[in-house]
């Protein structure tokens, strides 16, 4: 989507901090995340496993996992209104209608003792009043939209009777059934084969064109990023370290951690051999360094990288990176 | 269906004409059977020691069901599976216990394989403890070594599964599978939850372990680039059947079956300009409850011919060791 076609900002996240307060210490899983999302836009959120992508998403939904997680700072502005200040009852009204999420793990989002039809119907009924027959029809239609064959028969089945990819599509169907203004999709296609993945992505694009839905798309798959996203944000150890238009991130990544990440992608052509990886490990989120968090693994590291966290540098059009060594635009 | 012939003697694992049909029921207590899902329908392949077999195909085509049968978690409706020439579904008692250490698994969702109430160190040690592999200190040492091997920190042995991210949990599951040095590991989408760097590390790691321990892998994956880098042979399934099977390099060079072509054309590449022409699959995904007659792909095939809906194509060798089930190749 071209910049001029993009609408107003629908979601703005400012300096979000969500930590786990444990007896062992404080896990700073989300530690100063800021980004914004416009109507009709898809923002990709990528980054190494454990860097805080899911927790960022769950913080936006106010669905923090049990066990000491707390959002201690920041603002989440949904159409200008800070939803971190809403009551739990108000949040229940907001979720599903205005902001909706496809959880990373379909297992925990589907209840094993209810049929998938029951779970879809519940999502529909929560949103509007309709006759039983109409709700049934809509539920069947929702399954058909995500390419589930024989939806009339599948609707009576229980989660354990479906394949992994089918469960993921049911979860996806529930999340988009309310046509929310903002959709957070946490790895919604990891369990899907590429043909069904492509159909699902096309469905999201179609919905987006119809309703102007904005999507925060969390994924490890750079092919999906290239296909779906307008912009990408790269996270590392609790913070966004680079953010910019997809093309620029692919063609001229600036932050060394982004470069390392992109170099690890296995290719469909060229020699088959050892894959490039990022040596070392991300720092413990309980014991973060004062300087750049990538410093221990960075090929360009210097003393100042260890001494202080780098400020955000504007490296191009709508393109920023947190690194001492990048050249400002 | 012909069984792959190898000169290298007996395969490690042989899957022979295996079928799995699930009763399709409605309701829990007074379940009514409405029909049968032919999840796996006459599938045969071999895996040799130290080799990786890739298994790909559309969601719901029977890959996990095949894996579960190989793991002896599910019995085939028909056909047999042999490890070192011995039918595995006849195993009982000690022999079955021994089988479970020889054949391990890492599943699609790590949530199902990790006990939420157990520290992950204990989960990793489980198979070692069961088999009295060594004393406490040696087991602890092995657990630390495994954690490092999969890219975690040794002290993380003390944490519970919920304290890990999705990708980290998957690495714990791999460490647990590796612990008893098995002969075959079934990897059902082991890397799809991982970031590209850890994925690359994991793939390198799996290859290193294979080179060292001669372990075989059955790799179920949706990411074809992963299969390309990992697998020696690749099997493509569609709706419970094998439609194409070949050495991986040969398959990626020369895709033959119309379904495999569509599958490969749907691969998304990050760099614009690299993408091939996309083949849009027409028509609805057929239901395994009532699979299409003749060739199961005929309802969506761009090359469909009159007799495709009438006769089922046999799996035939179109070039050395490259098998395709399609009337175009008869
Ligand atoms: N209950 C918990 N207690 C302590 N730490 C936790 C807990 N849940 C998550 N974490 C930590 O928070 C960090 C962020 O987790 P999160 O699930 O957001 O990662 P992610 O970026 O989504 O990773 P992945 O790509 O693997 O899904 C991880 O490093 C994890 O170890
Ligand atoms: N316990 C069960 N009861 C009834 N049907 C089942 C059961 N397990 C699997 N099936 C059905 O068998 C078929 C094959 O499922 P399977 O899980 O093997 O697919 P898959 O190839 O692994 O798919 P995915 O890529 O989505 O994981 C599906 O139609 C599924 O609904
Ligand atoms: S047998 Fe016919 S329908 Fe099936 S894949 Fe070949 S051409 Fe297409
Ligand atoms: Mg996650
Ligand atoms: Mg599966």
């Amino acid at each position: 989507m071209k910049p001029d076609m993009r609408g107003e900002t629908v979601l703005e996240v400012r300096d979000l901090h969500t930590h786990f307060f444990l007896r062992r210490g404080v896990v700073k899983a989300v530690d100063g995340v800021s980004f914004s999302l416009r109507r009709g836009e898809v923002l990709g959120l990528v980054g190494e496993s454990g860097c805080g992508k899911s927790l960022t998403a769950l913080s936006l939904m106010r669905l923090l996992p049990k066990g000491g997680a707390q959002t201690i700072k920041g603002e989440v502005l949904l159409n200008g209104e800070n939803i971190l200040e809403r009551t739990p009852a108000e949040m229940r009204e907001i979720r599903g209608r205005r902001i909706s999420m496809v959880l990373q793990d379909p297992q925990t989002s589907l209840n094993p003792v209810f049929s998938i039809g029951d779970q879809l119907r519940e999502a529909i009924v929560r949103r509007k009043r309709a006759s039983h027959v109409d709700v049934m029809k809509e539920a069947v239609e929702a399954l058909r939209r995500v390419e589930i064959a024989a939806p009339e028969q599948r609707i009576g089945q229980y989660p354990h009777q479906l394949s992994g990819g089918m469960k993921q599509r049911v979860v996806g169907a529930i999340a988009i059934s309310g046509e929310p203004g903002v959709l957070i999709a946490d790895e919604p296609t990891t369990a899907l084969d590429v043909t069904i993945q492509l159909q699902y992505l096309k469905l999201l694009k179609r919905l987006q064109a119809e309703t102007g839905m904005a999507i925060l798309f969390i994924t490890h798959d750079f092919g999906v990023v290239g296909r779906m996203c307008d912009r990408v944000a790269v996270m590392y150890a609790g913070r966004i370290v680079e953010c910019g238009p997809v093309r620029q991130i692919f063609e001229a990544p600036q932050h060394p951690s982004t470069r390392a990440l992109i170099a690890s992608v296995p290719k469909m052509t060229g020699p088959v051999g050892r894959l490039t990886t990022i040596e070392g490990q991300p720092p413990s989120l309980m014991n973060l360094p004062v300087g750049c968090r990538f410093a221990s693994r960075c090929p360009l590291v210097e003393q100042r990288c260890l001494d202080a966290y780098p400020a955000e540098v504007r490296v191009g059009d709508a393109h920023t990176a947190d690194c001492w060594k990048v050249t400002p635009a | 269906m012909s069984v792959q012939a190898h000169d290298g003697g007996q395969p490690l694992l042989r899957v022979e004409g295996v079928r799995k049909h699930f009763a399709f029921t409605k309701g829990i207590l007074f379940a009514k059977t409405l029909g049968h899902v032919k999840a796996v329908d006459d599938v045969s392949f071999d895996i040799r020691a130290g080799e990786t077999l890739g298994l790909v195909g559309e969601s719901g085509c029977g890959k996990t069901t095949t894996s579960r049968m190989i793991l002896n978690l599910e019995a085939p409706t028909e056909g047999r599976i042999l490890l070192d020439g011995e039918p595995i579904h006849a195993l009982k008692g000690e022999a079955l216990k021994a089988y479970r250490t020889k054949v391990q698994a890492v599943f699609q969702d790590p949530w199902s394989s990790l006990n939420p109430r157990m520290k992950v160190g204990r989960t990793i040690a489980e198979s070692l403890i069961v088999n009295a592999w060594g004393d406490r200190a040696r087991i602890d040492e092995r657990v630390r070594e495994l954690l490092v091997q999969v890219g975690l920190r040794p002290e993380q042995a003390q944490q519970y599964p919920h304290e890990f991210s999705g990708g980290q949990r998957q690495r714990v599951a791999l460490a647990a599978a590796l612990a008893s040095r098995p002969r075959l590991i079934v990897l059902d989408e082991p890397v799809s939850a991982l970031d590209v760097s850890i994925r690359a590390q994991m793939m390198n790691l799996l290859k290193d372990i294979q080179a060292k321990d001669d372990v075989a892998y059955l790799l179920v994956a949706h990411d074809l680039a992963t299969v390309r880098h990992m697998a020696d042979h690749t099997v493509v399934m569609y709706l419970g059947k094998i439609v194409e099977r070949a050495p991986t390099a040969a398959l990626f060079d020369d895709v033959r079956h119309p379904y495999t072509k569509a599958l490969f054309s749907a691969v998304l590449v990050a760099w614009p300009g690299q993408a091939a022409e996309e083949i849009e699959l027409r028509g609805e995904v057929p239901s395994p409850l009532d699979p299409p007659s003749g060739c199961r792909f005929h309802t969506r095939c761009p090359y469909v011919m009159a007799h495709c809906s009438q006769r089922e194509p046999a799996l035939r060798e179109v070039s050395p060791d490259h098998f395709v089930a399609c009337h175009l190749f008869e």
Side-chain angles (χ1 to χ4, degrees):
Chain A
M1 189 170 287
K2 290 180 198 74
D4 50 296
M5 286 171 64
R6 285 196 211 128
E8 73 280 19
T9 299
V10 286
L11 180 72
E12 186 167 355
V13 176
R14 290 189 191 150
D15 202 25
L16 187 70
H17 287 70
T18 299
H19 295 173
F20 287 95
F21 293 87
L22 308 177
R23 244 171 299 158
R24 285 183 282 117
V26 180
V27 178
K28 298 182 177 168
V30 177
D31 199 35
V33 165
S34 304
F35 63 86
S36 66
L37 194 57
R38 296 188 205 210
R39 189 177 140 84
E41 185 185 43
V42 185
L43 174 68
L45 185 58
V46 302
E48 265 180 286
S49 179
C51 68
K53 303 179 296 294
S54 295
L55 200 64
T56 299
L58 293 168
S59 305
L60 305 185
M61 293 297 289
R62 301 262 314 270
L63 290 173
L64 293 182
K66 290 191 191 70
Q70 227 179 310
T71 298
I72 51 165
K73 196 173 158 198
E75 282 175 281
V76 176
L77 305 171
L78 183 66
N79 304 111
E81 145 192 35
N82 186 3
I83 58 171
L84 294 183
E85 287 165 357
R86 294 281 83 87
T87 63
E90 286 168 335
M91 272 318 289
R92 274 194 293 279
E93 290 297 304
I94 291 171
R95 278 196 293 265
R97 290 182 210 192
R98 291 173 55 196
I99 184 164
S100 193
M101 177 164 174
V102 184
L103 294 177
Q104 185 170 1
D105 167 29
Q107 219 74 338
T108 53
S109 18
L110 290 176
N111 189 327
V113 302
F114 291 104
S115 72
I116 57 168
D118 288 340
Q119 302 186 48
L120 257 170
R121 283 203 300 270
E122 196 208 288
I124 296 166
V125 171
R126 245 170 27 127
R127 187 161 44 82
K128 64 175 181 203
R129 299 175 75 91
S131 72
H132 182 70
V133 179
D134 286 342
V135 170
M136 250 336 240
K137 269 199 208 136
E138 195 174 327
V140 167
E141 219 21 68
L143 289 181
R144 202 189 308 279
R145 281 213 290 200
V146 291
E147 314 280 340
I148 301 254
E152 296 86 354
Q153 287 156 313
R154 288 286 181 188
I155 208 155
Q157 285 199 304
Y158 292 82
H160 77 271
Q161 296 172 310
L162 304 183
S163 81
M166 289 173 187
K167 273 183 277 207
Q168 198 168 40
R169 279 177 280 158
V170 170
V171 174
I174 291 174
I176 57 180
S177 70
E179 301 191 348
V182 176
L183 176 71
I184 302 174
D186 193 355
E187 313 228 17
T189 63
T190 38
L192 304 185
D193 68 275
V194 288
T195 53
I196 300 223
Q197 164 174 284
L198 189 57
Q199 275 152 1
Y200 186 68
L201 296 180
K202 283 182 176 167
L203 166 71
L204 287 181
K205 280 276 187 200
R206 215 161 48 236
L207 260 182
Q208 199 182 19
E210 284 164 25
T211 67
M213 177 168 78
I215 307 178
L216 177 66
F217 205 110
I218 302 176
T219 179
H220 287 308
D221 188 330
F222 282 87
V224 171
V225 170
R227 176 71 181 220
M228 279 304 282
C229 301
D230 304 301
R231 287 187 302 135
V232 203
V234 184
M235 248 181 118
Y236 189 83
R239 296 191 80 135
I240 290 176
V241 293
E242 180 163 5
C243 186
V246 168
R247 263 199 106 90
Q248 284 178 41
I249 298 277
F250 283 158
E251 286 169 10
Q254 297 295 312
H255 199 284
S257 84
T258 313
R259 286 195 205 154
L261 203 60
I262 288 178
S264 320
V265 177
K267 310 283 183 317
M268 281 296 279
T269 51
V272 184
R274 277 193 93 68
L275 295 157
T276 315
T277 63
I278 314 177
E279 287 302 313
Q281 281 170 47
S284 159
L285 297 173
M286 252 196 261
N287 194 5
L288 287 164
V290 288
C292 171
R293 294 173 183 189
F294 191 61
S296 63
R297 307 164 82 185
C298 183
L300 306 179
V301 63
E302 313 181 330
Q303 189 56 43
R304 58 179 165 164
C305 307
L306 303 172
D307 294 340
Y309 190 87
E312 184 179 283
V313 180
R314 208 180 139 265
V315 292
D317 230 7
H319 187 174
T320 57
D322 291 8
C323 171
W324 285 114
K325 301 275 288 180
V326 295
T327 323
Chain B
M1 184 180 284
S2 71
V3 171
Q4 210 165 305
H6 289 306
D7 29 20
Q10 197 178 51
L12 174 68
L13 185 91
R14 168 159 287 184
V15 175
E16 233 176 53
V18 161
R19 293 176 202 268
K20 180 71 193 183
H21 297 178
F22 290 106
F24 192 96
T25 56
K26 200 175 172 179
I28 289 191
L29 277 181
F30 304 98
K32 217 169 54 191
T33 303
L34 302 175
H36 289 272
V37 178
K38 295 179 176 169
V40 175
D41 208 18
D42 192 11
V43 160
S44 304
F45 57 80
D46 287 352
I47 305 179
R48 280 173 288 178
E51 163 184 279
T52 301
L53 182 85
L55 184 57
V56 302
E58 191 156 72
S59 169
C61 72
K63 302 180 296 295
T64 297
T65 306
T66 303
S67 311
R68 288 178 57 83
M69 287 190 285
I70 291 173
L71 288 164
N72 210 337
L73 297 172
E74 203 103 62
T77 312
E78 234 177 82
R80 349 180 262 172
I81 297 175
L82 310 125
L83 185 83
D84 290 326
E86 235 188 298
I88 64 164
H89 287 95
L91 299 175
K92 288 196 181 60
E94 284 301 311
L96 182 59
K97 217 169 114 186
Y99 182 79
R100 298 219 186 281
T101 62
K102 280 189 253 176
V103 181
Q104 288 279 333
V106 177
F107 268 109
Q108 205 160 6
D109 58 303
W111 286 262
S112 62
S113 47
L114 302 180
N115 182 341
R117 283 177 225 296
M118 229 187 236
K119 287 183 179 163
V120 302
R122 173 63 210 256
T123 298
I124 295 170
E126 189 71 8
S127 71
L128 302 175
I129 295 169
V130 170
N131 290 291
W133 181 81
D135 60 20
R136 175 92 196 254
R138 260 190 79 203
I139 289 181
D140 281 352
E141 185 50 42
R142 174 92 180 123
V143 168
R144 275 197 294 275
E145 176 188 305
L146 286 159
L147 280 168
V148 173
Q149 220 176 18
V150 299
L152 294 169
R153 285 189 305 275
E155 70 270 18
Q156 286 179 300
Q158 299 306 316
Q159 298 179 9
Y160 289 93
H162 73 265
E163 297 175 58
F164 290 87
S165 77
Q168 290 168 331
R169 264 179 268 200
Q170 194 61 313
R171 282 184 275 165
V172 172
L174 179 69
L178 287 172
S180 63
R181 297 207 162 89
R183 313 238 352 246
L184 172 69
I185 305 185
V186 173
L187 303 159
D188 193 345
E189 307 220 28
V191 296
S192 40
L194 305 180
D195 69 73
V196 286
S197 165
I198 303 286
R199 186 183 303 189
Q201 269 174 32
M202 190 79 109
M203 284 159 65
N204 290 343
L205 167 68
L206 286 167
K207 282 197 157 179
D208 292 347
I209 292 167
Q210 186 166 58
K212 208 166 86 230
D213 293 355
D214 213 31
V215 56
Y217 301 129
L218 173 68
L219 173 70
V220 177
H222 287 309
D223 180 32
L224 294 173
T226 299
V227 173
R228 176 171 176 264
H229 280 268
M230 292 290 295
D232 302 292
H233 282 82
T234 300
V235 166
V236 185
M237 282 178 75
Y238 183 78
L239 227 56
K241 296 229 175 247
I242 294 182
V243 294
E244 188 159 6
R245 184 178 80 201
T248 305
L251 182 74
F252 279 70
D253 272 354
D254 186 15
V255 171
R256 298 292 187 92
H257 194 280
Y259 169 67
T260 320
K261 283 196 170 147
L263 185 70
F264 274 67
S265 80
V267 172
L268 299 172
V269 288
W271 291 268
Q274 258 190 35
E277 188 74 32
E278 221 168 75
I279 303 171
E280 178 106 42
L281 288 180
R282 299 178 291 132
E284 260 191 74
V285 180
S287 160
L289 264 174
D290 184 19
S293 60
C295 169
R296 291 189 176 185
F297 190 54
H298 86 260
T299 53
R300 299 159 84 197
C301 179
Y303 308 96
V304 62
M305 301 169 284
H307 57 290
C308 292
S309 59
Q310 254 115 74
R311 268 189 302 119
E312 193 176 320
L315 199 59
R316 49 176 64 231
E317 194 165 9
V318 294
S319 56
D321 216 15
H322 192 152
F323 294 81
V324 180
C326 168
H327 290 309
L328 288 171
F329 298 90
E330 284 179 352

